[in-house]
Amino acid sequence: MASRITVHLIRHEKTQANRERKYIGWTDEPIVACAKAIPFLQSDIVYGSDLVRCRQTANGYFPQAKFIATEQLRELHFGDFEMKTYEELQHNLMYRAWIDDPYTVTPPNGESLTAFCDRVITAFRQIITAEQSYTFVVHGGVIRILLAKYGLEEKSFQQVLANHQTIYTLTWDSFTEFKGGARCTSYSEALITENEPM
């Protein structure tokens, strides 16, 4: 298996804004509950966003690991839509246009989906440099970009979901395949479940 690339993508634990179904991008809000270690997945190094919700989740899931953070793996900057809910925005014409066509409409004072995709994929490709296993604790939008780009099935960003407490695992048979931009050769999802005391 040493001649393969394996990537585990994990979304951070929920924040209060996540619970309230708000758009949370660059707002640096902590997680609500402490993440628990994942017994079946061990990593010495974990990569992720520099925002506190990813740091806290990585520390909970992988308490012994070194966390390497980069701003390039942050969530989309939602601009004027930041920390607002659908209910608050549903009658906003710019918001409706963005929902209908996120590839050509950018949130006011925010980041375009194209720029977001470019920075995430660039950072991802800079980190994946050898045939080994990698673990990421990142944001839902980051996972959606990577699954749309590298997942087994060809899907758009809007068609991909990224849930909390789920490990998305992508594998390539060789670095050459990955470097060439190929989709992964195998893919799986696993729920992170906490074993309750008997």
Side-chain angles (χ1 to χ4, degrees):
M1 293 293 181
S3 63
R4 309 176 82 191
I5 291 175
T6 300
V7 173
H8 304 291
L9 303 173
I10 304 169
R11 187 176 180 185
H12 61 78
E13 290 278 350
K14 288 186 178 181
T15 69
Q16 188 60 36
N18 290 140
R19 286 187 171 182
E20 295 171 1
R21 303 181 66 83
K22 293 179 178 178
Y23 288 99
I24 175 171
W26 288 24
T27 301
D28 206 8
E29 187 176 68
I31 60 176
V32 174
C34 291
K36 298 293 191 332
I38 307 172
F40 59 89
L41 178 60
Q42 304 297 319
S43 295
D44 295 327
I45 298 175
V46 176
Y47 299 90
S49 159
D50 63 335
L51 297 180
V52 68
R53 56 192 185 269
C54 291
R55 290 181 183 276
Q56 290 176 327
T57 302
N59 185 57
Y61 285 165
F62 307 99
Q64 306 304 319
K66 177 182 179 182
F67 184 68
I68 299 178
T70 173
E71 184 178 317
Q72 296 302 104
L73 290 175
R74 284 187 180 189
E75 181 60 274
L76 177 74
H77 191 312
F78 292 109
D80 292 357
F81 304 152
E82 181 81 5
M83 298 300 282
K84 292 185 170 62
T85 64
Y86 169 79
E87 286 72 24
E88 293 173 295
L89 294 167
Q90 60 182 324
H91 301 299
N92 181 312
L93 294 180
M94 182 62 76
Y95 173 75
R96 296 302 316 174
W98 175 64
I99 289 294
D100 291 341
D101 191 2
Y103 287 97
T104 58
V105 179
T106 300
N109 300 306
E111 181 179 27
S112 73
L113 186 57
T114 300
F116 179 41
C117 290
D118 288 347
R119 74 168 163 84
V120 166
I121 291 169
T122 297
F124 186 67
R125 291 177 66 85
Q126 287 172 343
I127 292 167
I128 309 297
T129 57
E131 293 173 341
Q132 62 187 51
S133 180
Y134 298 84
T135 300
F136 290 80
V137 174
V138 286
H139 306 274
V142 172
I143 294 173
R144 291 171 68 192
I145 284 172
L146 295 174
L147 294 184
K149 169 78 173 169
Y150 295 112
L152 279 178
E153 298 178 28
E154 190 168 334
K155 292 183 178 181
S156 69
F157 177 81
Q158 298 100 308
Q159 293 174 310
V160 178
L161 296 176
N163 297 312
H164 295 277
Q165 297 198 338
T166 303
I167 302 173
Y168 301 90
T169 301
L170 300 83
T171 303
W172 288 263
D173 288 337
S174 72
F175 181 70
T176 302
E177 287 183 354
F178 171 78
K179 191 175 181 181
R183 291 185 175 275
C184 64
T185 47
S186 67
Y187 172 79
S188 65
E189 297 178 13
L191 292 177
I192 299 170
T193 56
E194 295 180 11
N195 294 322
E196 298 293 333
M198 299 298 284

